[in-house]
Amino acid sequence: MRTIYIKQGEVPKLPPLVATIGFFDGVHRGHQFLINQVIDEAKRNKMESAVITFDAHPRQVLQSEYQPELLSTLEEKLLLLSKTHVENVIVLHFDKSLAALSARNFMDEVLSKQLNVKELLIGYDNRFGHNRQEGFDDYVRYGHEIGIKVLHADPFQPNGEKISSSLIRRYIMQGEIEAANRALGYAYSIKGKIVKGYQNGHKLGFPTANLDMSSSLKLIPASGVYAVKVRLEDSIEWKRGMMNIGIRPTFNGSKISLEVNIFNLSDNLYDQTLCVSFVQRIRKERKFESLEALSHQLEQDKIAVNHLFDAID
């Protein structure tokens, strides 16, 4: 896969392209289905395939107060796109001048003249251009005038459900990790630096790695206890673990913390980066009457997590 970063006005030397365009947050199964259609169409017409995306979320640029909760960082998105076998990924620098272009001007100035797009596949709900006012019929008409063939991609609707990034975000925010993972086609993950926490886990016999996610733009799942797989960023070994997301009500906490008990690992991990892959929510967070009751529940949680992994590994 060739990755091309482009600022407005730059004209790279590109072959005739069959392309699709979008933010592609998460590169979920619906995105993958669309991209496969682009690849097939490009092969039929002896052209190269391309995915056109952006280096920042449009709302992040247009609304200064907006804090995106993303399914994938740009780095993760590019890695996921590389697995689709698309030939080119074009990353446009999204700024206010690009956002101000009408759909027709965008198709003419950017897609046609700048990127040499000859065919454009549009997803079932995709809109682009200033204020996203126009729709598929408009794109077809503009394309006919400009010299871009515009096609409507087939929708991906397993079991009649339209998979979208917003649907997956809703699943994650509700703690429905298994449903989110099915829609993504892979396990949702986050990554953060390990920092010193409250040390309560050590007192209970369950030492935890506490993640600092303050600089991350990724969506944090709902509060609760999760079965997770974890690895240090410089390692290829995944280990079992259980993660608590929440305010630690038994300790009268008030701020959200993310704490991972990594099974069979007791090293000093401070300042290292940990990757956490979510498998299933075991239970919701709740307040316990005593530390003994909490410790007993953590023992039961660990047993449940190990049983789950024994069944799927």
Side-chain angles (χ1 to χ4, degrees):
M1 183 186 85
R2 178 170 55 168
T3 304
I4 306 161
Y5 295 86
I6 296 180
K7 293 183 179 180
Q8 194 167 355
E10 295 178 346
V11 183
K13 292 183 179 180
L14 293 171
L17 297 177
V18 176
T20 188
I21 184 168
F23 189 63
F24 295 103
D25 189 22
V27 193
H28 54 64
R29 290 173 64 204
H31 294 145
Q32 295 164 29
F33 186 75
L34 168 61
I35 293 167
N36 284 336
Q37 293 177 66
V38 171
I39 293 170
D40 291 342
E41 180 70 13
K43 287 178 179 177
R44 275 194 297 271
N45 291 281
K46 295 182 171 56
M47 289 190 276
E48 288 193 17
S49 57
V51 167
I52 302 168
T53 189
F54 307 103
D55 61 0
H57 193 285
R59 286 183 63 188
Q60 192 178 357
V61 174
L62 298 174
Q63 302 172 19
S64 58
E65 74 284 357
Y66 176 69
Q67 288 295 316
E69 294 181 309
L70 303 178
L71 301 177
S72 57
T73 64
L74 178 59
E75 179 185 15
E76 290 169 340
K77 180 163 60 175
L78 294 176
L79 177 60
L80 290 164
L81 287 170
S82 72
K83 296 178 180 180
T84 68
H85 304 298
V86 68
E87 292 166 287
N88 301 278
V89 172
I90 299 169
V91 182
L92 295 178
H93 175 59
F94 193 90
D95 56 19
K96 291 184 178 180
S97 61
L98 185 67
L101 292 176
S102 67
R104 192 191 190 289
N105 286 344
F106 179 80
M107 290 179 67
D108 185 21
E109 296 175 21
V110 179
L111 298 186
S112 179
K113 294 175 181 175
Q114 194 174 7
L115 304 181
N116 202 21
V117 172
K118 299 302 181 185
E119 290 192 31
L120 181 67
L121 270 73
I122 302 291
Y124 75 91
D125 63 346
N126 191 22
R127 289 173 179 261
F128 55 84
H130 183 63
N131 291 334
R132 295 157 55 104
Q133 293 175 331
E134 292 118 320
F136 179 75
D137 291 340
D138 298 304
Y139 306 150
V140 172
R141 186 172 72 256
Y142 301 152
H144 182 73
E145 297 166 357
I146 294 165
I148 297 177
K149 182 179 180 182
V150 179
L151 304 172
H152 218 308
D154 295 328
F156 181 67
Q157 297 176 300
N159 303 317
E161 182 179 49
K162 292 180 180 179
I163 290 179
S164 67
S165 298
S166 58
L167 173 68
I168 295 168
R169 288 189 199 97
R170 187 160 65 248
Y171 283 146
I172 293 172
M173 292 170 67
Q174 294 170 348
E176 299 177 32
I177 287 296
E178 289 177 288
N181 290 349
R182 283 194 298 271
L184 285 166
Y186 58 88
Y188 183 67
S189 66
I190 60 174
K191 182 166 63 175
K193 181 171 284 190
I194 300 171
V195 297
K196 192 167 184 176
Y198 298 96
Q199 306 295 305
N200 293 319
H202 284 272
K203 301 171 187 174
L204 297 170
F206 289 87
T208 59
N210 298 269
L211 295 192
D212 177 10
M213 299 295 295
S214 58
S215 61
S216 175
L217 296 179
K218 291 199 68 172
L219 177 64
I220 303 301
S223 295
V225 176
Y226 293 84
V228 297
K229 284 195 171 183
V230 301
R231 69 171 178 83
L232 296 172
E233 191 174 37
D234 59 357
S235 171
I236 61 171
E237 181 184 8
W238 288 92
K239 289 186 172 291
R240 297 179 181 185
M242 59 183 185
M243 181 174 205
N244 184 81
I245 299 176
I247 61 171
R248 304 172 302 107
T250 305
F251 298 94
N252 297 315
S254 58
K255 294 181 179 180
I256 290 287
S257 66
L258 294 87
E259 303 173 286
V260 190
N261 175 238
I262 306 171
F263 299 171
N264 304 316
L265 184 65
S266 57
D267 298 347
N268 183 348
L269 304 176
Y270 290 143
D271 294 325
Q272 296 192 60
T273 298
L274 191 70
C275 304
V276 180
S277 177
F278 291 88
V279 177
Q280 184 178 311
R281 184 162 74 161
I282 302 301
R283 62 173 174 86
K284 296 181 179 180
E285 185 181 46
R286 63 187 178 91
K287 184 172 183 176
F288 291 86
E289 296 179 358
S290 66
L291 296 184
E292 291 77 11
L294 173 56
S295 181
H296 176 73
Q297 181 60 58
L298 292 175
E299 292 282 0
Q300 299 305 307
D301 293 340
K302 185 172 182 178
I303 291 170
V305 169
N306 273 320
H307 282 167
L308 172 65
F309 282 124
D310 288 342
I312 64 178
D313 281 353

